[in-house]
Amino acid sequence: MKDRYTDDPKAGYGEEVVGGYGAGAPATYHDVDVFGHEEGHQIVYKTLSWKLVAVLMIAEIVSNGMLSLPQSLAVVGIVPGVILIVFLGIFATYTSWLLVQFKLRHPEVHSMGDAGFILFGAPGRELLAFGTVVFAVFATGGQLLAGQIALSFLSDGKLCLMLYTGIFAIPTLLCSFPRTLDRLSWLSIPSVISILVAGIVGMIGAGLHPTPDRHIDIARSSSFYEAFFSITNPVFAYAGHFMFFILISEMKRPQDAMKAAYVLQGFATTFYAVFAIVMYVYLGPTVASPAFSSLETKWAKAAYGIAIPNFLLAGAIYSHTAAKLIFTRFFRHSRHLYSHTVAGWSTWTLLILLMNAAAFILAVAVPIFSYLIGIAASLFAAWYTYGIAGAFWLHDSYHDGDGVRTWKRKWAQTTLSVLTFAAGAFICVAGTYVTVRGIVEAYRSGSVGSPFAC
């Protein structure tokens, strides 16, 4: 595959010279990316270092999703469960590399919608952009539910659950309001610390108050439905790639993005594996999801209380992402994107309110909302995190290389890319199937509540 751009010491702070963008002098990365050169702009987006991007990624991905991992080990056994967590971490690192390479070769890509346009034209842009917004809103709602559980535990359930959700939604809304991710990155530092400390507190609590008469299964046999339903927990615990393009677009040096991805996946995989093993070993096969709910009361309150900043910031990042995609689509190459205009701020405020309001309404009004999150993750996040990354490499190697001859010459990478795409398809179909079946069984058992219930 031919290089689209090379380093140019005259291009400023590590910019690259990009070939193939028209006649005349070659363009630099920052000539063609979504925010362009920002000299004189009132609102400057490209300020993130790779370290702050790593913090944002960890705050977004390592959140309440990890609390379901011990239960996955309880269903399939400790050895298959840990192998799966580690494998998915390695797999997510590989797909991160594919996404970063695609972004560097296509600086104009700001979101999955832009990437969909390159791959599939206008229909691809609309579908992938729609999926990004839907999943981000659903993920925000998931964080609101996590905050609801935490606040309910801390107050011994003295208030209506809908009130807890509303109370938690207010700071989530306020934290999602900054126009640039740089502001959120600094807020994400205490978020990362909180989920790390909460996990440690949870493991200590489990060790001091283990479940009596527990047993540990090395491996367990179960039906496909039970096994895959539990497997979706670790699969979607890594499902944060849908906002990687948006994060990289606000970096000072996009070519450092893989450093952030390595930190993210290294931290997430290690922390997930240790947390899942310790919680399962001490709490046994009856461990709940979320796992903190299986702890002795005071330890559960401590763990939930410490984790609240992470639940809040993760929700804010998701709703910010949904608003940012639409806002950038509206005002791309417009002064409203980078200036303090009435139209710009009015639109941004409206989008932030709409995204957070939609998440809140879904969380409190839809009794099967937690299942809908699983469906959204299966339909969209499975592709964004795993499958479509393979299509990115196949596309660029074909169009920028020698077509099929490049695929044949680089047969190993071609095979990996095809398998990656197939894995995304399998997770999408199987994940949707088990989630829909879970909804049917929930209604059949009468465990589905009513809208706006306390």
Side-chain angles (χ1 to χ4, degrees):
M1 192 191 308
K2 301 173 184 176
D3 290 337
R4 187 181 288 266
Y5 55 87
T6 57
D7 290 332
D8 178 8
K10 298 181 180 180
Y13 49 92
E15 292 183 359
E16 282 81 15
V17 173
V18 186
Y21 286 99
T28 68
Y29 179 101
H30 298 281
D31 286 329
V32 295
D33 82 332
V34 63
F35 299 117
H37 293 279
E38 298 187 302
E39 295 85 355
H41 287 187
Q42 293 177 330
I43 300 174
V44 177
Y45 291 92
K46 294 183 291 190
T47 58
L48 291 172
S49 67
W50 70 264
K51 301 176 187 67
L52 288 178
V53 171
V55 171
L56 276 164
M57 289 177 170
I58 293 172
E60 172 231 344
I61 292 178
V62 183
S63 189
N64 66 323
M66 78 171 192
L67 301 181
S68 61
L69 297 180
Q71 189 182 72
S72 296
L73 268 59
V75 174
V76 301
I78 190 169
V79 171
V82 172
I83 290 174
L84 180 65
I85 290 172
V86 174
F87 169 76
L88 288 173
I90 296 171
F91 190 18
T93 304
Y94 169 67
T95 56
S96 296
W97 179 79
L98 293 177
L99 264 64
V100 168
Q101 295 304 309
F102 187 79
K103 167 62 177 173
L104 293 178
R105 296 180 63 79
H106 301 276
E108 70 276 17
V109 169
H110 175 253
S111 68
M112 281 290 177
D114 295 331
F117 180 76
I118 292 174
L119 264 61
F120 310 115
R125 176 177 58 195
E126 303 306 329
L127 177 62
L128 295 188
F130 172 78
T132 300
V133 173
V134 168
F135 182 70
V137 170
F138 277 44
T140 303
Q143 296 299 330
L144 295 183
L145 290 181
Q148 174 203 90
I149 294 171
L151 293 178
S152 179
F153 243 94
L154 290 171
S155 63
D156 297 317
K158 293 179 181 178
L159 297 177
C160 171
L161 291 178
M162 189 169 64
L163 287 178
Y164 289 124
T165 311
I167 291 170
F168 200 77
I170 294 172
T172 301
L173 166 67
L174 295 176
C175 289
S176 63
F177 203 81
R179 286 267 288 270
T180 64
L181 285 167
D182 177 64
R183 303 290 180 87
L184 282 176
S185 67
W186 293 104
L187 293 174
S188 295
I189 294 175
S191 169
V192 171
I193 294 173
S194 76
I195 197 63
L196 174 61
V197 175
I200 294 172
V201 168
M203 289 186 283
I204 293 173
L208 293 177
H209 300 278
T211 300
D213 302 322
R214 68 194 182 280
H215 66 274
I216 308 302
D217 293 313
I218 299 301
R220 289 191 61 190
S221 60
S222 55
S223 66
F224 172 81
Y225 167 72
E226 293 174 329
F228 199 85
F229 195 82
S230 69
I231 286 173
T232 57
N233 295 328
V235 166
F236 299 137
Y238 290 99
H241 290 40
F242 74 102
M243 62 178 294
F244 275 16
F245 290 146
I246 292 176
L247 286 169
I248 298 170
S249 293
E250 297 193 28
M251 291 184 67
K252 289 184 290 186
R253 287 178 51 86
Q255 62 268 41
D256 290 338
M258 268 315 295
K259 296 178 182 178
Y262 287 137
V263 172
L264 162 68
Q265 304 300 353
F267 177 88
T269 303
T270 303
F271 191 49
Y272 284 168
V274 172
F275 180 80
I277 291 170
V278 172
M279 297 297 279
Y280 174 59
V281 166
Y282 284 109
L283 299 178
T286 60
V287 61
S289 177
F292 288 163
S293 297
S294 292
L295 297 172
E296 192 269 340
T297 302
K298 67 179 181 182
W299 285 96
K301 288 184 176 181
Y304 274 127
I306 295 170
I308 282 178
N310 176 265
F311 299 160
L312 192 156
L313 261 298
I317 293 171
Y318 288 132
S319 58
H320 176 100
T321 298
K324 180 66 71 64
L325 185 152
I326 299 173
F327 183 80
T328 305
R329 178 81 175 270
F330 282 167
F331 295 125
R332 195 163 189 157
H333 307 306
S334 163
R335 66 188 182 89
H336 302 297
L337 184 67
Y338 54 80
S339 298
H340 296 296
T341 64
V342 173
W345 275 109
S346 298
T347 305
W348 177 253
T349 301
L350 178 62
L351 288 172
I352 288 293
L353 290 173
L354 284 175
M355 297 307 130
N356 283 277
F360 170 74
I361 292 172
L362 286 167
V364 300
V366 182
I368 59 169
F369 180 60
S370 59
Y371 291 98
L372 294 185
I373 296 174
I375 291 178
S378 300
L379 292 176
F380 300 115
W383 285 110
Y384 298 155
T385 303
Y386 304 107
I388 203 168
F392 291 157
W393 187 89
L394 291 171
H395 173 276
D396 279 359
S397 62
Y398 183 90
H399 291 282
D400 293 339
D402 298 320
V404 175
R405 284 179 293 181
T406 299
W407 289 353
K408 291 180 178 179
R409 186 170 66 253
K410 299 185 177 182
W411 61 268
Q413 179 65 55
T414 301
T415 303
L416 277 175
S417 298
V418 171
L419 291 176
T420 297
F421 192 85
F426 174 74
I427 295 170
C428 174
V429 174
T432 302
Y433 162 74
V434 299
T435 307
V436 171
R437 180 173 168 180
I439 294 173
V440 173
E441 295 192 359
Y443 272 107
R444 185 179 298 156
S445 65
S447 60
V448 177
S450 56
F452 301 104
C454 283

